[in-house]
Structures are given as C-alpha cells and as structure tokens.
Amino acid sequence: MATAISRVAGSEGSEDPLDSYSATVVRVAETVTPRVAAIEMTGSGRNGRFRVGAGSAVLFTSDGYLVTNAHVVAGTPGGHAVFADGTRSQVEVVGADPLSDLAVVHGRAPTATPAEFGDAESLKVGQLVIAVGNPLGLSGSVTAGVVSGLGRSIPVWSGRNRRMIEDVIQTDAALNAGSSGGALADARGRIIGINTAVAGAGLGLAVPVNATSRRIIASLLRDGRVRRAYLGLVNTPIQLQASAVVRTGHREGLLVVEVLTGSPADRAGLRAGDVLLSVGTTSVSNAESLQKLLFAEAIGAPLDLAVLRDGAELHVVAVPEEMTEKQ
C-alpha cells in the first residue's frame, strides 16, 4: 500500500505536457492580445456614416500605426479601432496593397506597447502558432493550432485582374469572419503572420511576416502604396532535367507559360516554353522569388534574364515598366 501511495504521489509531481502547452498559449495570449485591436471601417452617404468592413489590426509602432488586411479597409478612408483595454481611437488609412492583402492604418498613440515582429522564414510545418483577433465581433479571441503548410497561394483581385498572393502560411488555428488582419504568433509571442482568410473548416491562411512583407509595410508608410515593376510573364515553377542541371548549374526555374503581347518580356524576345533561370545574379524558382525582384527600383532598369531555350542557355535584357491596375 505504501508503494502504491508513493507512485500516486510521484505522478502528481510530474509535469503534464498539456500544462506546458497551456502555459505557452496563456503567455502568448497575455503578450499579444493588448496589441491587437478590433477595427471597423466606415463610409459616408446621404443617410450618414455606415459600416463598410470590420476585422482586426496589429499595433506595430509606439505612435499608433497598425497593420491589417487590404480587404478589411475596403477602399475606405477611415474608421475606428478598439483595443482590449477598451481604449478607442479613430483611425485613417495610410495605404493599402491588394496584391499582398496588407494595409496600414493610423490612430492616436495607444497605451499598449507595439507587438514584436518575427520572421516566418524560420517556420516549420507542425510548429505551434496562436491566433489573436476579433472573430464574429468577439474581441480578444485566442485560438491555437499548428502550421499546417507553407508556401500556399491564394487569389486576389487587382482592378479587373486576378493575381496570386504567394508564400502564404496555412494553419488549423480556428479563424472566422473578423479574424482578418489579426495576429498569428509563434510560441515566443512574435508576430509571424497577419491572418487573412478562412479557406474552410480547420483551414486558415495568413500573410507571412518576412523581408518582403516588411518592405511592403515600409512602402505603405512612406508612399501610401507599393510600386511594382511589370514584366508581362505568366509562369509556373519547374524542376530541370538532370542534363540541364549539369549545363546550367540550376536545379529549378520558372517555365514561361505565356508572354503578354507588347509587354517588356515580349519586347525582350522571351517566348512561351522558355525557362527563366535567374534575374541578374539571383536565381528564381517560384513566383515569390521573382516578385521580390520587381519592386520600385526595378522600374525602368535593364534586367539581365538567364533563360533556358531548346536546351541552350541564353541571356536577354528586359526593361520592366511600372505595374498599373490594367496589367
């Protein structure tokens, strides 16, 4: 009997893995929740102001700048934000970028300190993540799950054109209407994604916080928009055959599916069936790797494109134009 009692006592003193998991989620929730606001965007009409969109936003500067989704601000000039402590502030839209589904709004300086950004490039499938937002209008809601997948793509509309947001994080942390623009945090409370969409039961998507999204946010703060260069290519990733790997030193590339008539790529002589290997000195293997090279500084600057055509590597020079809503 004494032995049995001793075993029971010993088991009570052991650490339950679920307690450790809960402690992590609680700690992250306490860290992140004060830095996530519920926002409501409004418009004005003959009958006064009316609600246009609602969601969440993450405070990232001490002077009141918040990042959210472009589809949350929905082309409106402003609205209001409410923090977890009840602090309320009018906000105005600084800038929005539909192609990344990111937007920046600004209100008065809050009492909360800004959230810490992490880096989604270090994420692993299966890693614990915690979502904080205002789903269905329920402020300060916290859900936990794992990274279910990386490198996903979701479609967005820019003007009349359908484009893809690349390199999106997939998670099973529960997201609902109103979660958009909220935080996806890692186990240390760092923001590694901005929740953007619910693709189905148990399937949520978030725009990653990485070098590209930081650059987009900086452009929105500086210019109120993101200027991008345009080549006029429709492409898809491809693995090179062994013989091509030996000849070029590249294992992957972008297969050119279509070259748009009159585009910079067309004028440079690119053709459907070409495989784009590199731009300048940078190898390209997916849409994200190419898009990273096509920001404002690439507009009007000659780009050396290494291309595999009919088994031979050749170089062409393209001069990107500034992307417009029609492109």
Side-chain angles (χ1 to χ4, degrees), residues 16 36-37 82 88 92 130 138 154 255 286 298 306 325:
D16 187 335
V36 177
V82 181
R88 183 184 179 96
E92 62 178 8
I130 295 94
L138 302 172
I154 55 175
L255 174 65
N286 53 46
E325 287 190 0

Side-chain angles (χ1 to χ4, degrees), residues 169-320:
I169 303 165
Q170 177 188 337
T171 178
D172 67 349
L175 302 178
N176 289 285
S179 296
S180 292
L184 190 68
D186 64 13
R188 293 177 58 182
R190 299 171 301 189
I191 313 305
I192 45 81
I194 303 299
N195 300 321
T196 188
V198 182
L203 203 167
L205 301 170
V207 177
V209 172
N210 55 22
T212 300
S213 56
R214 289 171 184 267
R215 191 173 186 178
I216 289 168
I217 291 169
S219 292
L220 293 175
L221 285 169
R222 183 180 62 249
D223 303 321
R225 66 189 183 103
V226 178
R227 297 179 66 212
R228 285 184 172 84
Y230 167 74
L231 278 176
L233 291 175
V234 179
N235 53 68
T236 187
I238 189 174
Q239 297 286 328
L240 271 61
Q241 295 181 351
S243 58
V245 173
V246 173
R247 286 197 303 274
T248 67
H250 295 269
R251 294 184 176 275
E252 303 167 308
L254 291 174
L255 174 65
V256 177
V257 177
E258 182 183 358
V259 178
L260 302 183
T261 302
S263 68
D266 185 29
R267 292 194 295 271
L270 287 174
R271 309 172 187 168
D274 288 345
V275 177
L276 183 61
L277 302 174
S278 63
V279 177
T281 59
T282 304
S283 298
V284 290
S285 57
N286 53 46
E288 175 72 7
S289 62
L290 179 59
Q291 288 174 3
K292 288 178 180 178
L293 304 174
L294 297 178
F295 280 93
E297 61 271 18
I299 299 169
L303 288 180
D304 179 73
L305 308 180
V307 174
L308 186 65
R309 178 183 295 167
D310 298 328
E313 184 176 351
L314 56 94
H315 290 260
V316 300
V317 176
V319 181

